[in-house]
Amino acid sequence: MRIAAIFALGLAVTACSAVGPSSGHLVLVSQAGSSTVAVIDPTQGKTIQRITVGGLPHRMMLSPDGRKVYVVLVGSQAVAEVDVRSLAVTRTFLTAPVPERRADGTLIQAHFDQGAFAQTTCFACHNPGGAKPFIVGERPVGIALSSDASRLFISHIRQGLLSEIDLQSGVMVRFERLPPSGAASEAADLARVGSRLVVALRPHQPSTEAGAVRWLDEQTWQTLAEAPTGADPASVLPLEEGALVSNFESNTLSLHAPGAAPRGFTVTPGPLGMLRVGEGQVLSLNYYSNTVSLLDLKTGLSENHWLELAGKTFVNPTHAALSPDGRQVYIVSSGTEGNLLVFDLNSKRIARAIPIDGLSFDAVVIPQQVRR
């Protein structure tokens, strides 16, 4: 259901307006239904620009220097690189090879006739006015940066694929299918903890069979450790002590570390995204229950808070980003009527709701200083 929801369409080919004045940071939100990233000025409380990036923008990651945002394009088998200063797409990277043949073995002649193998995103051809179907490829979802910040690692739902992109050249340099763990064959998310990659593997959904959390050597991709987890592990949050995994089909999070038994935490149903909000503190975004849970990793205790403001309930929280001062969290409410919720960590209440597209997914904060 989580992946199916972001596949709903309703596209805008071009949607850009001049960026208005801002006295502080910006928030970028991936909007799957319109192929755009919204640029939001929280001071003005509105979207000030829309950047067309490609099909089904999903997870996003800010570069260590804060000058680039990498946007995973689930429907275009690519990653878009957005420059923070210009708020424009500067490059795109394919995350898997363009196929020569269909699953039934027949030749995809259009890929040869239209020069598809020279493209860096499937959105170049498969877009609102172009080739059908619109959603194509291996469904990239997870993203992580290498230890030296020179490479991107991308996980894919289809076939459990893992790829590596060299950021200097923009070229995909490695692409492998991960061996399944029992029924768990889909690489649902990815993170890096130190010099190790952590991949969440899930069975084809719907399923009640166990998923798995696999630790890989960052350089060789050799399996170092593996442990079972829930049937639908949705997100992996890297921590110093290990990797926290949200088990979307349940009301639990599980903390994994090589050589140790997973440690479970109880939240409310449908945990999806997770965000560090302080020392030993994690915010869980609980999609099915329209709540967030503030979890203390040391005590294992959690506080659950409804997403309500002025008598209105905001539904389906997905992911969130922390304000530069650490006092507020920007939460994506991804219902058909989308909102970016400004959640105050002191009062544990929503202070404001900013309209965005429905079916939005992830958020990143751009500090003011990196935009100068």
Side-chain angles (χ1 to χ4, degrees), residues 3-22:
I3 294 298
I6 67 169
F7 287 174
L9 303 181
L11 307 176
V13 181
T14 58
C16 293
S17 60
V19 176
S22 173

Side-chain angles (χ1 to χ4, degrees), residues 109-128:
Q109 188 61 45
H111 282 181
F112 293 89
D113 297 341
Q114 299 175 18
F117 303 104
Q119 302 296 337
T120 57
T121 172
C122 295
F123 194 69
C125 299
H126 295 266
N127 54 58

Side-chain angles (χ1 to χ4, degrees), residues 39-40 47 77 82 130 172 188 210 256 286 292 299 312:
V39 182
I40 295 164
T47 297
Q77 193 174 277
V82 175
M172 179 175 54
H256 293 254
N286 306 318
V292 294
T299 65
K312 178 177 180 178

